[in-house]
């Protein structure tokens, strides 16, 4: 087929490719590798940033790092990459993870098929041709059989529009869009809105560098210590010698990271045993207390209350002023771990510093952004730098920013207006040949994401290979199967305490977003078995069309 062709509307289509992938984070990079190097297809990647990295390109705020150990938070598909790369810390910082992704891109020669500084604005499906037409803000128009938005579940920064938005005359930063050149805090008064996982990483470091930091907190969080440390060369050697076994253990665990202390029930233990277990998990750091401690922590209110009380007690022991400690302790009505567990380093101790002020904006909400700072209902605050650490429009934000239209011009935004509709979080009815990676209704953000990404990319590559072998031109989810999957996702979530929280897992952080729990909570291993079984049965649950 010629590269320059006329389409039905007589407009020039400048390229025909097998697949368009959007995004050059963990997902887009691996997807490109599989499509191009394994399936020998022609694939083109569009990325809004000027280089690879995704999350780790954009989130350069001070303190950004992973909270799944680096040996796990990395690709598993290439023993060679595993062997060649050495992490310098137990939990790598953003610069090192970015360097790792740059290393992978170079090793696999991926950049030559990625168009950087290019944002995809629309993608429309043409049923008659079984093709997607993808347009970019640089004027490109590309036609592809497969459309793979690997746009990230946490890539669309949420910037609340308070009264007076845009009026602040000092420097304004968004953590998820942090400038490459960094920010000089020296001698500056800083205001930061938000106390989620991002803010908890950034606040202790900014506090050390600036003259004064004011933290605007709407909801206190159950942060627990990360306990990062330099990589022990002996640990690294052992991991590398046993990587296959380690990855197997990761796959066998609920969230894609193994924990060896996990016990069935907090209720079954005596108070002394419980205390010892909590202390041990607390000392392990990371997610140990959250998902590596007791299996019923996120299922049973009483079990949850024990863990919540334990964390509250720890917060109080770390903060000198009891009034500030009160403000930092999540209330009993907020169950532990139902919002994503933030892992921190010296976060609570930071409030013992003279140059840090905590403001409760639930009690006294932000009334207005002013040229010199902000006003709450009862006070005015002045600063030189304003930081939004206000999270993301998760799961659907980056998808809805594009004009995605499936069969008969149906818009994805309209189709999903009451919440995402997918089968396995991979495909959607009326959007043939569109695949999402770690999308809504998959284990997604409640699973070690590089592993989840690999699972999805490999499934997608397999289905494309199958379609080519069988002469098939289109695949989409059956409506009834979507309905069953949505019900299954809801049923699994409803068995836990997670839907009770006002979290971004439910879209509750974005005004007007439907409150639907968007993560499949059956565990990565079960999920993998389900999607593998569908594939083994000739992609049961999906409708396939012959190639036209
Ligand atoms: P992303 O890395 O988000 O990449 C998506 C890319 O798509 C972006 O570069 C974006 O610019 C691009 N894009 C989006 N829309 C368009 C468009 N219309 N046109 C062109 N380009 C577009 N997960 C874990 O499992 N463990 C962790 O410890 C962990 N730590 C995290 C820390 C932070 C600060 C954040 C924000 C997330 C963290 N995550 C973690 C989740 C993290 O997002 C994933 O682990 C992973 O990096 C996602 O990769 P991805 O390729 O799916 O998406
Ligand atoms: P977040 O958890 O959604 O936190 C956003 C913060 O901003 C919350 O404190 C929120 O308050 C506040 N906020 C949002 N809108 C507001 C408004 N209109 N008014 C006042 N306050 C507002 O976002 P995040 O901290 O960026 O983290 C998002 C996810 O990214 C994490 O959960 C995690 O999955 C990932 N992440 C991981 C790490 C890591 O350690 N590896 C680090 C950072 C991020 P409310 O709680 O009241 O909504």
């Amino acid at each position: 087929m010629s590269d320059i062709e006329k389409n039905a509307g007589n407009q020039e289509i400048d390229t025909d490719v097998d697949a368009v992938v959007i995004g050059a984070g963990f997902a887009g990079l691996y997807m490109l590798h599989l499509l191009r190097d394994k399936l020998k297809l022609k694939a083109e990647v569009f990325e809004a940033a000027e280089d690879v990295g995704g999350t780790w390109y954009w989130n350069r705020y001070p303190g950004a790092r992973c909270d799944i150990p680096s040996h796990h938070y990395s690709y598993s598909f290439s023993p060679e990459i595993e062997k060649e790369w050495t992490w310098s810390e137990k939990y790598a910082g953003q610069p090192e993870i970015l360097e790792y992704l740059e290393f992978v891109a170079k090793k696999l020669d991926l950049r030559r098929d990625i168009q950087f500084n290019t944002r995809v604005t629309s993608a429309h499906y043409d049923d008659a041709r079984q093709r997607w037409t993808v347009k970019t803000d640089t004027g490109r128009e590309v036609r592809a059989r497969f459309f793979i938005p690997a746009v990230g579940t946490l890539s669309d920064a949420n910037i609340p529009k308070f009264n007076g938005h845009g009026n602040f005359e000092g420097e304004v930063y968004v953590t998820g869009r942090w400038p490459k050149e960094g920010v000089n805090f020296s001698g500056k008064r800083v205001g930061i809105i938000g106390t989620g996982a991002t803010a908890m990483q950034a606040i202790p470091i900014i506090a050390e560098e600036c003259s004064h930091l004011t933290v605007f907190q709407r909801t206190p969080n159950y942060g627990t210590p990360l306990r990062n440390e330099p990589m022990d060369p002996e640990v690294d050697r052992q991991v590398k010698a046993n990587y296959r076994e380690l990855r197997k253990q990761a796959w066998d665990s609920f969230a894609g990271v193994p924990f060896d202390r996990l016990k069935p029930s907090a209720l079954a233990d005596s108070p002394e045993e419980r205390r010892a277990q909590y202390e041990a998990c607390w000392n392990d750091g990371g997610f140990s207390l959250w998902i590596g401690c007791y299996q019923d922590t996120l299922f049973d209110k009483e079990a949850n209350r024990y863990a919540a009380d334990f964390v509250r007690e720890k917060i109080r022991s770390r903060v000198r002023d009891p009034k500030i400690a009160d403000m930092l302790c999540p209330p009993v009505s907020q169950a532990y771990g139902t919002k994503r567990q933030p892992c921190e380093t010296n976060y609570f101790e930071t409030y013992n510093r003279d140059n840090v002020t905590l403001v409760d904006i639930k009690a006294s909400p932000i009334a207005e952004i002013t040229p010199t700072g902000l006003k709450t209902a009862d006070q005015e605050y002045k600063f030189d730098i304003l930081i939004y650490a206000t999270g993301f429009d998760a799961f659907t934000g980056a998808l809805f920013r594009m004009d995605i239209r499936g069969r008969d011009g149906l818009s994805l935004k309209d189709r999903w207006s009451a919440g995402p509709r997918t089968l396995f979080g991979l495909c959607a009815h009326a959007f043939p040949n569109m695949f999402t990676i770690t999308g809504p209704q998959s284990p997604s953000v409640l699973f070690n994401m590089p592993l989840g990404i690999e699972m999805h990319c490999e499934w997608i590559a397999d289905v494309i290979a199958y379609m080519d072998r069988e002469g098939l031109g289109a695949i989409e989810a059956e409506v009834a199967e979507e309905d069953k999957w949505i019900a299954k996702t809801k049923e699994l979530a409803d068995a836990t305490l997670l839907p009770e929280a006002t979290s971004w897992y439910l879209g509750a952080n974005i005004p007007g977003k439907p409150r639907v729990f968007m993560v499949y909570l059956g565990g990565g291993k079960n999920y993998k078995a389900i999607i593998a079984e569908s594939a083994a049965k000739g992609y049961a649950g999906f409708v396939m069309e012959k190639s036209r």
Side-chain angles (χ1 to χ4, degrees):
M1 201 177 293
S2 84
D3 263 6
I4 307 272
E5 232 187 62
K6 303 275 181 192
N7 70 5
N10 239 11
Q11 275 178 308
E12 275 190 356
I13 302 278
D14 70 11
T15 326
D16 267 304
V17 294
D18 293 300
V20 161
V21 176
I22 313 176
F26 268 98
L29 293 178
Y30 186 44
M31 196 68 249
L32 172 61
H33 172 58
L34 289 178
L35 292 167
R36 190 193 69 184
D37 304 329
K38 294 272 154 60
L39 299 188
K40 310 292 177 205
L41 297 178
K42 190 169 173 188
E44 184 155 15
V45 179
F46 294 112
E47 167 57 65
E50 65 181 22
D51 206 342
V52 299
T55 290
W56 306 102
Y57 173 91
W58 295 109
N59 290 265
R60 297 167 191 253
Y61 61 84
R65 62 177 68 252
C66 58
D67 52 10
I68 286 183
S70 313
H71 279 131
H72 289 287
Y73 188 73
S74 50
Y75 288 122
S76 74
F77 71 87
S78 164
E80 209 178 310
I81 290 173
E82 285 176 343
K83 206 166 107 201
E84 287 177 12
W85 186 262
T86 299
W87 296 104
S88 70
E89 293 178 281
K90 182 170 181 184
Y91 300 94
Q94 171 272 329
E96 193 172 7
I97 304 174
L98 183 59
E99 234 178 274
Y100 166 78
L101 289 168
E102 288 168 351
F103 160 80
V104 173
K106 187 163 180 218
K107 184 170 174 66
L108 302 176
D109 193 16
L110 297 174
R111 282 193 180 91
R112 69 182 152 92
D113 289 303
I114 306 174
Q115 306 303 322
F116 294 108
N117 299 307
T118 307
R119 183 166 285 282
V120 171
T121 50
S122 70
H124 293 182
Y125 185 68
D126 175 348
D127 203 16
R129 290 173 185 257
Q130 295 173 323
R131 292 287 185 278
W132 283 89
T133 301
V134 175
K135 293 187 186 175
T136 73
D137 64 355
T138 56
R140 290 287 307 282
E141 186 167 334
V142 179
R143 203 161 54 193
R145 294 158 61 207
F146 299 102
F147 171 56
I148 309 177
V151 289
T153 47
L154 292 163
S155 63
D156 188 34
N158 167 42
I159 308 168
K161 305 287 182 290
F162 300 108
N163 289 335
H165 181 75
N167 284 353
F168 184 65
E169 287 172 359
E171 298 166 56
V172 180
Y173 301 104
V174 176
T175 49
R177 292 283 176 275
W178 203 257
K180 237 175 142 177
E181 59 281 9
V183 175
N184 182 3
F185 291 108
S186 173
K188 303 271 176 66
R189 294 162 306 164
V190 181
I192 184 167
I193 305 174
T195 51
T198 293
M200 281 199 174
Q201 289 184 326
I203 283 168
I205 298 171
I206 296 173
E208 279 178 10
E209 293 176 10
C210 70
S211 69
H212 192 273
L213 177 66
T214 309
V215 178
F216 297 94
Q217 169 187 274
R218 186 166 67 180
T219 310
N221 246 318
Y222 289 99
T224 64
L226 179 66
R227 303 203 193 284
N228 187 29
E229 59 192 21
M231 182 61 69
D232 176 345
E234 181 49 25
V235 170
D236 186 57
R237 196 194 59 73
Q238 280 177 21
V239 166
K240 284 179 171 157
N242 298 292
Y243 232 140
R244 298 282 58 78
E245 173 54 27
L246 196 75
R247 299 292 195 180
K248 186 182 170 306
Q249 286 170 15
W251 268 111
D252 285 345
S253 66
F254 176 82
V257 205
F259 291 99
D260 50 18
R261 288 189 199 281
L262 189 62
K263 294 173 92 176
S265 170
L267 307 181
D269 272 1
S270 69
E272 295 72 27
E273 287 166 332
R274 234 179 357 246
R275 179 87 206 176
Q277 173 75 349
Y278 287 145
E279 289 287 356
C281 290
W282 178 265
N283 290 330
D284 287 343
F287 288 156
S288 184
L289 190 73
W290 187 35
I291 48 176
C293 193
Y294 288 111
Q295 271 166 353
D296 53 1
T297 304
L298 298 176
F299 288 84
D300 183 278
K301 281 196 170 152
E302 195 184 342
N304 188 283
R305 176 69 190 270
Y306 289 133
D309 285 346
F310 175 82
V311 180
R312 272 190 287 269
E313 185 192 316
K314 289 287 186 192
I315 293 173
R316 288 186 203 289
S317 75
R318 297 168 69 185
V319 180
R320 277 202 297 271
D321 182 335
K323 278 198 198 128
I324 295 176
D326 270 350
M327 285 165 74
L328 289 167
C329 280
V332 170
S333 57
Q334 189 181 326
Y336 164 68
T338 52
K339 284 189 165 207
R340 205 272 202 173
Q341 155 85 66
C343 296
E344 45 77 35
T345 305
N346 292 328
Y347 174 73
F348 293 103
E349 288 79 1
T350 298
Y351 293 94
N352 296 330
R353 297 175 65 98
D354 293 337
N355 70 334
V356 177
T357 306
L358 180 64
V359 178
D360 180 349
I361 52 169
K362 191 164 264 168
S364 179
I366 294 176
E368 185 187 354
I369 303 290
T370 67
T372 53
L374 66 76
K375 278 184 192 159
T376 62
D378 57 14
Q379 209 172 322
E380 182 166 1
Y381 298 88
K382 296 194 174 183
F383 28 81
D384 308 300
I385 297 178
L386 171 60
I387 301 173
Y388 288 89
T390 40
F392 300 89
D393 183 353
F395 303 102
T396 53
L399 290 170
F400 289 173
R401 270 194 191 277
M402 296 175 282
D403 177 24
I404 299 180
R405 289 177 189 271
R407 198 182 303 103
D408 303 325
L410 181 64
S411 109
L412 186 72
K413 213 171 169 178
D414 289 345
R415 176 77 182 155
W416 288 10
S417 60
R421 292 191 51 85
T422 76
L423 179 55
F424 307 146
L426 277 162
C427 290
H429 178 74
F431 296 83
N433 294 358
M434 177 179 94
F435 300 103
T436 47
I437 299 177
T438 67
Q441 293 155 356
S442 77
S444 189
V445 292
L446 280 162
F447 191 71
N448 175 353
M449 293 201 77
L451 291 194
I453 282 167
E454 287 182 337
M455 163 170 62
H456 271 180
C457 291
E458 286 162 14
W459 191 93
I460 293 165
D462 284 349
V463 76
I464 290 176
Y466 173 87
M467 288 171 71
D468 284 354
R469 275 198 310 275
E470 302 292 322
L472 298 166
I475 175 174
E476 68 182 298
E478 282 179 31
V479 178
E481 295 298 321
E482 267 186 359
D483 286 337
K484 276 194 234 162
W485 188 250
I486 293 165
K488 182 81 195 158
T489 305
K490 182 173 182 330
E491 180 194 320
L492 286 164
D494 286 347
T496 74
L497 303 172
L498 272 71
E500 289 178 12
T502 52
S503 72
W504 57 263
Y505 294 145
L506 287 140
N509 61 330
I510 304 296
K513 198 165 170 173
R515 285 204 184 189
V516 178
F517 198 84
M518 283 177 277
V519 187
Y520 170 86
L521 283 179
K525 194 179 179 185
N526 289 337
Y527 174 85
K528 194 176 190 182
I530 291 169
I531 62 171
E533 190 188 341
S534 160
K537 290 182 176 161
Y539 295 93
F542 299 90
V543 190
M544 303 259 196
E545 279 173 10
K546 281 275 170 211
S547 206
R548 281 203 268 275

